[in-house]
């Protein structure tokens, strides 16, 4: 079918702006709400590419900067509507942040702030330490991970990290208000974003055992049916301590210390002490303690095959927080192992976290050999992404192999790498590529779908998300879908034709957990990316 794909949210005035056509046209026009033609341009043929399977034509209107609402029209076909305005991403950022509030577990969600998306207090019963038969621990609170009601330590730490590094690097998130209850602190009130992240940090603090080890996850034995969280009353279990969870917690507590100390010294001190305690556990347990689900349990495994990037992140993060050389020496040692094992240093996902360590190093010591080496990794990776983007009509830094479970996270992770590269060079060299990536997520893709709920005329509406599937809540705005996945992991996805191009391996269906679930760590990188894109390198401020 002939289509014009566009970022359905829109563009800031200074941004590069484009629509992608999958048909030949004799020029294109921009039309405003009154139907007036305000701009005319030529389309440029790109050709067919591997990831979209479309024969693409590019309609570039970057030079048009008048604010307003528009559509692109070519050969009688019109696109969805979009806006041009310097404030076009403001509501998007607020919703993406507030989306976490509705995922809160425990009893801190209030009706007056949640409105029609409210759920009653949930998962307040003590959890049983798996295998112990009697040890019961209160680990209430935090965020539900995703479409399921599990709470997983590595996933939670990584989600907090995306946001906290965004705050460290770009500031502006602290000024973003999104209508959640205020929490008092020594300096008055926490900014909303820090109140929200604190929800998860407080939960992670509870996941720390007395000896510093951190339980990998707390879930029921198997996933709950599609019911509201307050009706999920099965026994909760704390599953084994893992060195990944312990290291990620050590890392994120030290990072959080550097942010929260500006608002509340006592809370920051608690975080730092917890970080050190977990780090000591790691020192006592030099061998990786990996995690596998017990037989018969089907909640998220978040398995990793090693814990090197986690330990690296922990040591650099503590080094940055405390300035103690001991941690730096540890980081150097682990970095060598990471290199010897050919593991990426640019990872920002739940299974690969060395990239966070690099950002801490950038703050802690950007005048050492380790920093230089890793900096080169980032710059090299960013250049590679730029080449990859030139190989498809969407200017998207994704290859066929990246369209896995949670491919939208792969997009966001790549955008994070580009942002870090620009941050290193203090310029905006990858600005256009960032725009293309965001365009993709917000509708400029061959599904013609915006992958953020409530944002875009044709935004996805049916996330795999239990409160929504239970039938009495519609999906709230600001949730990022996992997105296309070439591996068809659920029954519904397997109904799709086998020969689809990667970008088209998607369905907006509630049962498609491998294509259309949401998670905290698919939302959190979008917080980082929107903050990074708002950063002005010339003025060195937002
Ligand atoms: O996001 C995870 C993805 O990278 C994995 O491929 C997938 C299968 O192991 O699991 C995803 O994580 C899920 C987790 O296990 C449970 N909560 C929902 C997560 C998103 O689907
Ligand atoms: Zn809950």
């Amino acid at each position: 079918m002939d289509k014009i794909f566009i970022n359905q949210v829109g563009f800031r005035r200074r941004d590069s702006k484009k629509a992608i056509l999958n048909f030949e046209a004799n020029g294109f026009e921009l039309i405003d709400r009154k139907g007036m033609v305000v701009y005319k341009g030529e389309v440029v043929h790109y050709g067919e590419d591997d990831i979209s399977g479309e024969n693409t034509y590019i309609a570039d209107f970057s030079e048009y900067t008048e604010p307003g609402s528009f559509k692109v029209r070519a050969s009688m076909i019109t696109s969805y509507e979009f806006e041009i305005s310097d404030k076009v991403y403001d509501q998007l950022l607020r919703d993406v942040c507030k989306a976490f509030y509705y995922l809160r577990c425990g009893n801190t969600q209030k009706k007056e702030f949640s409105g029609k998306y409210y759920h009653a207090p949930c998962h307040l019963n003590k959890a049983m330490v798996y295998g112990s038969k009697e040890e019961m621990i209160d680990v209430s609170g935090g965020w539900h991970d995703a479409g399921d009601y599990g709470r997983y330590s590595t996933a939670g730490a990584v989600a907090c990290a995306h946001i906290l590094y965004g705050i460290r690097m770009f500031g502006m998130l602290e000024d973003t208000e999104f209508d959640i209850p205020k929490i008092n602190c020594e300096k008055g009130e926490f900014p909303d974003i820090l109140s929200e992240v604190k929800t998860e940090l407080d939960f992670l603090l509870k996941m720390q055992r007395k000896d510093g080890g951190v339980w990998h996850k707390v879930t029921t034995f198997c996933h709950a049916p599609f019911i509201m969280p307050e009706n999920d009353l099965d026994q909760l279990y704390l599953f084994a301590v893992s060195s990944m969870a312990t290291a990620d917690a050590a890392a994120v507590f030290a990072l959080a210390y550097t942010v929260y100390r500006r608002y509340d010294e006592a809370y920051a001190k608690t975080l730092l002490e917890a970080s050190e305690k977990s780090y000591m556990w790691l020192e006592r347990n030099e061998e990786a303690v990996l995690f596998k689900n017990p037989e018969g349990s089907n909640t998220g495994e978040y398995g990793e095959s090693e814990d090197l990037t986690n330990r690296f992140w922990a040591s650099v993060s503590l080094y940055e927080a405390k300035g103690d050389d001991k941690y730096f020496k540890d980081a150097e040692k682990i970095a060598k192992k990471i290199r010897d094992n050919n593991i990426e240093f640019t990872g920002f996902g739940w299974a690969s976290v060395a990239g966070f360590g690099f950002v801490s190093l950038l703050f802690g010591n950007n005048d050492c050999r380790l920093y230089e080496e890793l900096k080169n990794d980032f710059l090299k990776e960013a250049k590679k992404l730029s080449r990859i983007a030139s190989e498809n009509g969407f200017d998207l830094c994704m290859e066929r192999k990246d369209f896995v479970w949670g491919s939208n996270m792969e997009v966001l992770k790549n955008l994070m790498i580009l942002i870090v590269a620009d941050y290193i060079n203090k310029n905006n060299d990858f600005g256009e590529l960032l725009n293309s990536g965001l365009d993709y997520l917000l509708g400029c893709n061959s599904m013609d779908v915006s992958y953020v709920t409530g944002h875009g005329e044709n935004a996805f509406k049916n996330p795999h998300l239990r409160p929504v599937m239970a039938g009495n809540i519609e999906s709230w705005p600001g949730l990022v879908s996992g997105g296309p996945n070439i591996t068809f992991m659920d029954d519904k996805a397997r109904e799709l034709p086998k020969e689809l191009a990667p970008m088209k391996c998607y369905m907006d269906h509630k049962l498609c957990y491998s294509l259309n679930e949401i998670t905290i760590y698919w939302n959190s990188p979008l917080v980082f990316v929107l903050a990074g894109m708002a950063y002005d390198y010339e003025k060195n401020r937002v």
Side-chain angles (χ1 to χ4, degrees):
M1 211 163 94
D2 289 352
K3 288 244 166 123
I4 302 178
F5 309 120
I6 189 93
N7 171 342
Q8 298 162 24
V9 175
F11 311 87
R12 295 164 309 186
R13 299 173 63 185
R14 62 179 180 280
D15 286 334
S16 52
K17 309 174 193 72
K18 65 175 190 317
I20 308 291
L21 286 58
N22 65 358
F23 58 94
E24 191 172 356
N26 205 354
F28 74 96
E29 16 189 60
L30 280 190
I31 45 175
D32 68 11
R33 280 217 167 142
K34 292 188 205 119
M36 302 288 289
V37 175
V38 296
Y39 181 85
K40 281 181 183 221
E42 297 299 318
V43 298
V44 175
H45 188 207
Y46 177 88
E48 203 160 311
D49 63 55
D50 185 41
I51 60 170
S52 73
E54 307 278 5
N55 186 10
T56 51
Y57 296 78
I58 300 158
D60 191 313
F61 51 99
S62 303
E63 64 181 18
Y64 189 78
T65 56
E66 289 303 308
S69 295
F70 310 94
K71 288 180 180 178
V72 174
R73 184 168 66 194
S75 311
M76 311 296 284
I77 307 280
T78 43
S79 72
Y80 287 116
E81 193 177 70
F82 61 92
E83 202 185 324
I84 297 179
S85 150
D86 284 340
K87 296 193 173 311
V88 71
Y89 303 138
D90 289 8
Q91 189 57 37
L92 175 66
L93 176 60
R94 283 194 288 271
D95 284 350
V96 172
C97 291
K98 176 112 185 216
F100 291 89
Y101 182 71
Y102 306 112
L103 284 168
R104 281 193 192 188
C105 184
N107 58 10
T108 59
Q109 204 181 123
K110 302 275 170 274
K111 219 173 200 157
E112 63 265 41
F113 291 91
S114 293
K116 59 182 179 181
Y117 308 124
Y118 176 76
H119 71 75
C122 58
H123 302 111
L124 289 167
N125 292 337
K126 286 188 177 173
M128 183 186 286
V129 176
Y130 186 72
S132 79
K133 297 260 186 303
E134 60 198 27
E135 202 184 342
M136 303 294 282
I137 314 246
D138 165 34
V139 288
S140 57
W143 299 314
H144 297 137
D145 181 55
D148 65 310
Y149 294 134
R151 285 167 292 147
Y152 308 87
S153 299
T154 53
V158 161
C160 292
H162 291 134
I163 300 174
L164 293 173
Y165 282 110
I167 293 173
R168 285 296 302 274
M169 292 166 75
F170 313 113
M172 60 90 84
L173 293 171
E174 284 154 287
D175 302 326
T176 302
E177 300 213 312
F178 47 95
D179 192 34
I180 60 167
K182 297 285 176 200
I183 305 184
N184 291 334
C185 65
E186 286 169 8
K187 297 273 157 67
E189 276 170 352
F190 282 119
D192 284 352
I193 194 74
L194 290 188
S195 300
E196 198 48 54
V197 171
K198 189 169 180 293
T199 304
E200 184 70 2
L201 290 171
D202 289 347
F203 157 70
L204 289 171
L205 286 169
K206 292 183 183 174
M207 291 294 278
Q208 186 181 50
R209 212 164 56 177
K210 283 200 188 72
D211 69 349
V214 173
W215 284 292
H216 196 70
K217 61 172 181 177
V218 57
T219 69
T220 48
F221 196 72
C222 284
H223 283 308
F226 302 137
I227 53 177
M228 289 300 282
E230 58 270 33
N231 298 330
D232 178 25
L233 296 167
D234 277 7
Q235 179 64 54
L236 289 170
Y237 291 102
L238 279 161
F239 290 95
V241 162
S242 74
S243 51
M244 291 88 70
T246 307
D248 285 8
V252 82
F253 290 153
L255 164 69
Y257 159 79
T258 68
V259 176
Y260 283 84
R261 70 180 161 190
R262 287 187 270 130
Y263 295 92
D264 198 300
E265 279 174 32
Y267 184 60
K269 192 163 162 265
T270 306
L271 290 164
L272 188 60
E273 282 168 7
S275 168
E276 292 171 304
K277 203 162 135 189
S278 280
Y279 199 82
M280 286 190 273
W281 185 95
L282 293 169
E283 288 177 320
R284 290 195 305 276
N285 293 273
E286 279 186 21
E287 294 287 309
V289 180
L290 304 180
F291 183 81
K292 268 227 134 321
N293 268 349
E295 192 64 36
S297 163
N298 73 354
T299 56
E301 185 164 81
Y302 289 110
E304 295 179 46
S305 56
E306 40 69 31
D307 65 0
L308 292 173
T309 65
N310 318 72
R311 285 178 189 260
F312 174 71
W313 179 26
S315 56
V316 192
S317 189
L318 256 165
Y319 169 62
E320 202 244 319
K322 295 191 65 185
D324 183 339
D325 261 358
K326 157 186 130 110
Y327 300 112
F328 184 72
K329 291 208 179 88
D330 287 354
E332 281 184 317
K333 264 190 237 146
I334 308 164
K336 187 169 177 318
K337 287 192 203 160
I338 294 181
R339 189 71 79 200
D340 291 347
N341 282 283
N342 258 323
I343 298 169
E344 57 175 7
F345 273 104
T346 52
F348 288 116
W350 62 262
S352 181
V353 292
F356 297 122
F358 171 74
V359 182
S360 283
L361 191 60
L362 188 153
F363 286 119
N365 182 358
N366 57 20
D367 188 20
C368 61
R369 227 180 82 198
L370 184 59
Y371 174 77
E372 282 304 310
E373 274 175 25
L374 303 195
K375 179 181 104 177
N376 289 335
D377 278 26
F378 265 87
L379 299 180
K380 227 164 87 191
E381 188 63 18
K383 272 209 191 110
K384 184 175 133 201
L385 292 173
S386 165
R387 181 184 49 73
I388 289 172
S390 70
E391 286 164 7
N392 64 73
F394 291 76
D395 196 28
L396 181 68
C397 45
M398 291 280 282
E399 294 175 292
R400 171 176 285 268
K401 69 166 175 42
D402 300 324
F403 285 86
V404 290
W405 193 327
S407 65
N408 285 339
M409 169 78 206
E410 298 302 304
V411 175
L412 286 161
K413 206 174 75 186
N414 290 341
L415 300 186
M416 286 185 68
I417 293 171
L418 297 172
I419 288 175
V420 171
D422 273 351
Y423 197 82
I424 293 168
N425 287 332
K426 300 191 173 53
N427 63 26
N428 199 22
D429 280 0
F430 294 110
E432 268 188 44
L433 223 50
L434 290 169
N435 288 333
S436 296
L438 192 64
D439 289 354
Y440 170 82
L441 293 170
L442 298 175
C444 191
N445 54 60
S446 57
M447 292 306 304
D448 215 12
V449 154
S450 163
Y451 289 115
V452 184
T453 48
H455 290 270
E457 244 188 289
N458 191 35
F460 86 105
K461 291 184 188 62
N462 304 295
H464 179 83
L465 172 58
R466 275 179 174 63
V468 173
M469 296 170 84
N472 37 2
I473 294 187
E474 67 178 78
S475 118
W476 51 88
L479 291 165
V480 177
S481 165
N485 174 359
I486 48 178
T487 60
F488 295 159
M489 296 299 285
D490 60 71
D491 288 345
K492 195 78 202 158
R494 282 189 273 270
E495 288 174 15
L496 286 169
K498 292 275 164 301
E499 64 285 359
L500 283 176
M503 228 191 251
K504 293 194 182 119
C505 295
Y506 173 77
M507 220 192 299
D508 180 15
H509 197 288
K510 284 179 192 171
L511 292 178
C512 289
Y513 58 83
S514 69
L515 309 179
N516 212 30
E517 189 165 356
I518 61 95
T519 77
I520 50 176
Y521 53 87
W522 296 338
N523 257 59
S524 52
L526 185 53
V527 176
F528 180 99
V529 164
L530 289 173
M533 287 179 70
Y535 196 66
D536 186 333
Y537 287 93
E538 269 152 44
K539 296 192 195 120
N540 214 8
R541 66 177 169 75
V542 181

